[in-house]
Amino acid sequence: MTTPAAALSGAAAPPNEFVEQTYTKVFWRLVPFLMLCYVIAYLDRVNVGFAKLQMSQELQFSDTVYGFGAGLFFVGYFLFEVPSNVILDRVGARVWIARIMITWGIISGAFMFVNSATSFYIMRFLLGLAEAGFYPGVILYVTAWFPSHRRARVIAVFMSAIPVSGIFGNPLSGWIMDAFNGTYGLSGWQWMFLIEAIPAVLVGVAVFLYLDNRPADAAWLSPAEKAVIERDIAAERASKVESPHSITSVFRNGRIWFMSLIYFAFVTGQYGLTFWMPTIVKASGIQGNFNIGLVSAIPFLFAVLVMILLGRSADRMRERRWHLIVPALFGSVGFIVAASTGSTVVAVAALSVAAGGVLTCAPLFWSLPTAFLTGTGAAAGIALINSVGNLAGFASPYVIGTLRDSTGSTAAGMYALAGMLVVGAVCVFLTPKRLVNR
């Protein structure tokens, strides 16, 4: 049977206007919905940062206990990441992403029953197991719909869910904790976990009903539109170099481990910021959970603008390396200034620069490995990079918590975050330009 792509290969190339209309249609069908999924996922992942404002005092958690528990999420995440993405590649994104969201929603809601450090550790580990595979699964899913030169903008918009979850989630979390505290004998942090878990389950059901695994399955695309996408994806796969073709070869590929190091450096900054933002803002002199939520939303609002602008610029110029290096260095400067100032206004402005830099690095980073990975190797390679990189999600909050307990300040931890961003920028500079600028 002749496929749409094969039929198109024997005909004249479609007009550029039709190609652009096709990808615009795909973008608006998929990306806002995927972004919604990630807003919910990220909120359930990091709302523990707001819970800390009440939970740590009520359950007598030190900053080290909190940091260790917050980071344990990424141990479970690490262990199940590669298997989860390989399963997704086999059964399809529709079923597997729906499973992930429903499972993590149930576990996230169960956090209301945490009553000790041990139960906190267990629940964070289980949440990591449940959510493993969601983020790299979406990255893999996007590669089936958009060629590499369109991908940076798509991933940037998708990952703008991180700051968007901060913009809306931080004030929401603060309000729930203040408004519901003591209702039916439950603390505000318990209500926050319960209420914010419900959307994950509901949207998980919607994923199963809404997503299509690949363009060929999409009834909302015409045969000509499917052919455009399949042609572009096939051409990209044919042009890729040095791509591993099996799961075992992924673990022997030096470039993948180098990508993991870069991602580790950037994720260190990302989770150092998101897990500790409420505590940092409170230390600057802001009082009240809702007010802390409002002020901590400012850096995330700035980050959304930076992420979208740089994502578009990277695709338009087809340049990846400097679009990563520059925001990483700006993020480093932001952390240093925020740690060094005694002014609330300057601290929030510096945190905005840090957020704009570090949160922009993550989506733009994925344009590097997806430029040379393909096939089964792509599923395992993306998952390996994400799982190793996300071990920084364990190390970062734990190290900052330990430093905070030992020094009484977050300054030392923020200097460490700044240093890791510089390491990431240097490694990106050392990445061969021919490999990633496509």
Side-chain angles (χ1 to χ4, degrees):
M1 185 172 71
T2 303
T3 65
L8 189 64
S9 65
N16 287 335
E17 183 180 357
F18 179 76
V19 173
E20 293 302 321
Q21 289 174 348
T22 297
Y23 282 110
T24 298
K25 182 177 182 179
V26 174
F27 179 93
W28 287 109
R29 169 77 184 194
L30 297 180
V31 179
F33 182 74
L34 293 172
M35 181 182 170
L36 172 64
C37 294
Y38 200 34
V39 167
I40 295 169
Y42 206 83
L43 179 60
D44 286 344
R45 182 186 301 186
V46 303
N47 59 6
V48 68
F50 254 91
K52 173 186 180 294
L53 301 178
Q54 286 183 348
M55 183 175 65
S56 289
Q57 182 176 7
E58 186 174 313
L59 301 181
Q60 300 298 301
F61 289 173
S62 67
D63 284 336
T64 301
V65 168
Y66 163 73
F68 183 74
L72 271 176
F73 170 95
F74 296 96
V75 177
Y77 200 85
F78 171 80
L79 292 175
F80 198 50
E81 187 83 325
V82 173
S84 179
N85 226 34
V86 172
I87 293 172
L88 181 146
D89 187 47
R90 292 176 179 173
V91 306
R94 186 171 68 97
V95 170
W96 199 243
I97 291 177
R99 192 284 305 164
I100 289 172
M101 294 194 68
I102 293 170
T103 305
W104 98 52
I106 293 171
I107 294 175
S108 184
F111 266 78
M112 66 182 294
F113 300 112
V114 167
N115 58 12
S116 66
T118 300
S119 60
F120 178 52
Y121 294 159
I122 292 171
M123 293 303 295
R124 287 295 293 177
F125 178 79
L126 291 177
L127 187 66
L129 283 180
E131 195 181 323
F134 173 79
Y135 175 79
V138 171
I139 299 298
L140 180 65
Y141 182 67
V142 164
T143 65
W145 296 84
F146 297 92
S148 61
H149 68 275
R150 298 179 182 272
R151 212 171 287 149
R153 173 175 172 254
V154 170
I155 296 176
V157 173
F158 165 68
M159 288 197 64
S160 66
I162 295 176
V164 167
S165 72
I167 292 168
F168 295 103
N170 284 0
L172 175 64
S173 297
W175 177 77
I176 291 173
M177 288 170 60
D178 285 342
F180 287 81
N181 191 38
T183 302
Y184 295 112
L186 298 176
S187 299
W189 62 269
Q190 293 174 299
W191 279 109
M192 184 201 69
F193 281 126
L194 176 62
I195 293 171
E196 292 182 357
I198 295 171
V201 177
L202 297 179
V203 175
V205 175
V207 166
F208 183 78
L209 300 175
Y210 185 81
L211 284 188
D212 296 293
N213 287 328
R214 56 190 182 274
D217 299 332
W220 46 273
L221 287 175
S222 70
E225 289 168 336
K226 294 177 184 180
V228 165
I229 299 170
E230 292 175 3
R231 178 204 61 181
D232 289 349
I233 298 300
E236 178 190 347
R237 288 173 177 168
S239 69
K240 289 183 178 181
V241 296
E242 302 182 35
S243 177
H245 298 288
S246 68
I247 296 174
T248 55
S249 65
V250 163
F251 289 89
R252 299 193 301 268
N253 189 286
R255 291 200 189 282
I256 290 178
W257 289 106
F258 191 66
M259 291 291 114
S260 299
L261 172 61
I262 296 172
Y263 196 51
F264 184 95
F266 292 155
V267 170
T268 297
Q270 175 184 325
Y271 285 115
L273 179 77
T274 53
F275 278 127
W276 287 96
M277 177 75 83
T279 300
I280 294 170
V281 170
K282 183 178 181 179
S284 72
I286 304 299
Q287 298 298 317
N289 292 322
F290 181 64
N291 292 331
I292 292 171
L294 288 176
V295 172
S296 62
I298 295 173
F300 292 115
L301 179 61
F302 180 76
V304 170
L305 299 176
V306 175
M307 289 172 73
I308 293 175
L309 289 175
L310 284 184
R312 287 180 176 175
S313 175
D315 277 348
R316 185 177 65 254
M317 299 177 66
R318 298 204 182 189
E319 197 287 323
R320 310 299 176 189
R321 292 157 74 245
W322 286 104
H323 279 80
L324 270 169
I325 294 169
V326 171
L329 295 179
F330 269 93
S332 178
V333 172
F335 278 127
I336 292 172
V337 173
S340 306
T341 184
S343 166
T344 300
V345 174
V346 174
V348 173
L351 285 173
S352 297
V353 173
V358 72
L359 295 180
T360 296
C361 287
L364 294 184
F365 163 81
W366 285 107
S367 63
L368 303 186
T370 56
F372 65 90
L373 289 171
T374 187
T376 301
I382 291 170
L384 178 61
I385 293 168
N386 193 61
S387 59
V388 172
N390 270 290
L391 285 178
F394 170 75
S396 182
Y398 180 52
V399 168
I400 292 176
T402 302
L403 290 172
R404 184 175 163 83
D405 275 339
S406 61
T407 65
S409 169
T410 57
M414 294 176 76
Y415 292 142
L417 298 181
M420 287 301 295
L421 290 178
V422 173
V423 170
V426 171
C427 290
V428 171
F429 180 77
L430 296 175
T431 301
K433 182 167 59 175
R434 67 174 179 82
L435 192 69
V436 297
N437 283 349
R438 294 165 177 257

